[in-house]
Amino acid sequence: MPTIVNDVIDFRPDRAWGARDLMEIDGVTVRLHWTDQPYKWHTNDGAEAFVVLSGQVDMFYRLDGEEHCVRLSPTDMFLAEVGDEHVAHPVGAAHILVVERKGSV
């Protein structure tokens, strides 16, 4: 039976970056996150799709040791590959859909 998710905007866990596991597909998780706090700098150990659903997120990333930043708005995506170093800083509160290998940082 299909699942309809129509309460994304109402999702608010008890802590920043809390998540609702939506589904797993062949070892890949689809998770809904809410946050109003920055994450931590990390380097991907697998590919990641980061989709802003509501709010805005400043995504900082490093290329060849140089730091860059892009502001993501609803429907914008940040696609990271293995080894990509980045950190998300929401501008206020944001809902984010993250698709990545199960157990990835």
Side-chain angles (χ1 to χ4, degrees):
M1 170 167 247
T3 301
I4 307 300
V5 180
N6 57 9
D7 62 345
V8 169
I9 298 303
D10 297 327
F11 175 65
R12 176 116 187 227
D14 59 355
R15 62 181 170 72
W17 293 102
R20 178 198 286 173
D21 293 325
L22 299 174
M23 68 184 325
E24 184 177 331
I25 306 166
D26 295 332
V28 173
T29 59
V30 179
R31 304 179 83 203
L32 172 62
H33 291 269
W34 173 90
T35 190
D36 61 355
Q37 299 295 315
Y39 196 59
K40 60 184 177 184
W41 276 100
H42 63 286
T43 302
N44 275 43
D45 57 1
E48 171 187 343
F50 182 102
V51 184
V52 176
L53 301 176
S54 73
Q56 293 185 321
V57 176
D58 285 341
M59 182 64 79
F60 294 86
Y61 58 99
R62 293 187 178 128
L63 290 175
D64 300 322
E66 192 173 317
E67 191 172 301
H68 302 270
C69 180
V70 62
R71 177 154 294 174
L72 304 172
S73 295
T75 72
D76 289 342
M77 298 180 208
F78 180 83
L79 304 176
E81 298 291 340
V82 174
D84 287 345
E85 188 177 13
H86 60 284
V87 62
H89 287 238
V91 180
H95 287 91
I96 301 150
L97 188 71
V98 176
V99 181
E100 63 188 346
R101 186 181 56 200
K102 185 176 184 176
S104 187
V105 175

